Each structure stands twice: as structure tokens, then as C-alpha cells.
Amino acid sequence: MNSSLFSMAEDLVDQAYVRQGAASRRSREKLIKSLLANRKIPRDPWDERTIGLFLNEIASMDSNNFPDNVGVGEREGRVFSALVRARHMGLAHGIGRSGDVGAIQPKAAGSSLLMRLTTAMVLHLIKISGVP
């Protein structure tokens, strides 16, 4: 939730409790911001909720997860099973274009972002492991 939604929640739940929730959200967003800015493996491990928040936010950038969107092309990301969708966080569209796995997929901005970020993190891992 963003700050305006937290403000609206204060009309329904005690302000102190909403502020605790907002502080928790900001701490998770700070970790995500650091990852996107530094493009390196985080020094401290993330908990499952932070990982889930990040992956859900990224998946929401893929066109197959847009509200009221129904892809009809032969390569559109579609998933019938809710169990399968949950297992891969809704990242169904895929990455790359025309044989170039590193190319940005216009309908899959989130998947493309994850691919680029993963590449940067793997390169960081190689660097810190001392591989020449």
C-alpha cells in the first residue's frame, strides 16, 4: 500500500497500528530500493515476505497480470491453474525476443527486469567469489 492508502486505513483501524504496518512496509521497500540501486546480492538475507512482495510487484508489471487484460496471441502468458500461478508468482510471460534471451520483452517488463537483475547479481557473485 502507498501512503495515501495507509492514511485511509487510519479511518478504519487505530492510527498506531496502521503506522506500525506502514513502517514495516517502508523497511521492506528500502531493501527493494537498495537491491535495484546496487544490483548486488544483499548482504543480509531477505525474509520470505519481502521476497514475495518483490516478486508480486515485479509480476504485476507483466501484461498477463494487468487487470481486465486478456491476451489472445499465441505467445501470451496465460495460466489456468491457480496453483501453478501461485507457484511461479504469476511470472508466466517469459523473457527475451526472437532467440535473444537477453532482449527486453515489451509485454513482460517485470520478467525482463528480473532477468536483468538476476544477471547483475550473478556477475556480482562471480566477482565476490574470486573467479577470474
Side-chain angles (χ1 to χ4, degrees):
M1 292 196 328
N2 61 35
S3 59
S4 66
L5 295 177
F6 278 114
S7 294
M8 293 171 68
E10 290 177 358
D11 293 337
L12 299 166
V13 178
D14 187 277
Q15 185 180 43
Y17 302 143
V18 173
R19 287 185 178 168
Q20 288 175 342
S24 173
R25 176 67 182 231
R26 281 191 305 274
S27 69
R28 293 179 197 287
E29 288 175 348
K30 185 178 175 183
L31 293 171
I32 293 169
K33 182 178 180 179
S34 176
L35 179 64
L36 290 172
N38 298 317
R39 301 172 189 168
K40 295 180 179 179
I41 297 171
R43 188 186 63 165
D44 298 317
W46 288 8
D47 63 17
E48 287 184 31
R49 189 165 301 273
T50 303
I51 295 167
L53 171 67
F54 182 55
L55 292 176
N56 278 310
E57 290 288 326
I58 284 179
S60 70
M61 296 170 64
D62 284 3
S63 65
N64 61 289
N65 295 315
F66 292 174
D68 302 324
N69 183 48
V70 178
V72 294
E74 76 275 7
R75 293 175 287 170
E76 298 292 328
R78 291 184 293 276
V79 180
F80 175 75
S81 169
L83 180 64
V84 173
R85 179 180 300 281
R87 181 163 177 86
H88 60 69
M89 308 296 288
L91 293 163
H93 207 292
I95 57 172
R97 294 178 59 81
S98 302
D100 181 0
V101 74
I104 299 299
Q105 172 55 254
K107 293 184 178 182
S111 293
S112 296
L113 171 62
L114 187 58
M115 177 267 302
R116 291 275 172 96
L117 187 56
T118 301
T119 300
M121 291 172 63
V122 168
L123 292 172
H124 176 236
L125 177 63
I126 292 169
K127 180 179 179 180
I128 63 175
S129 67
V131 174

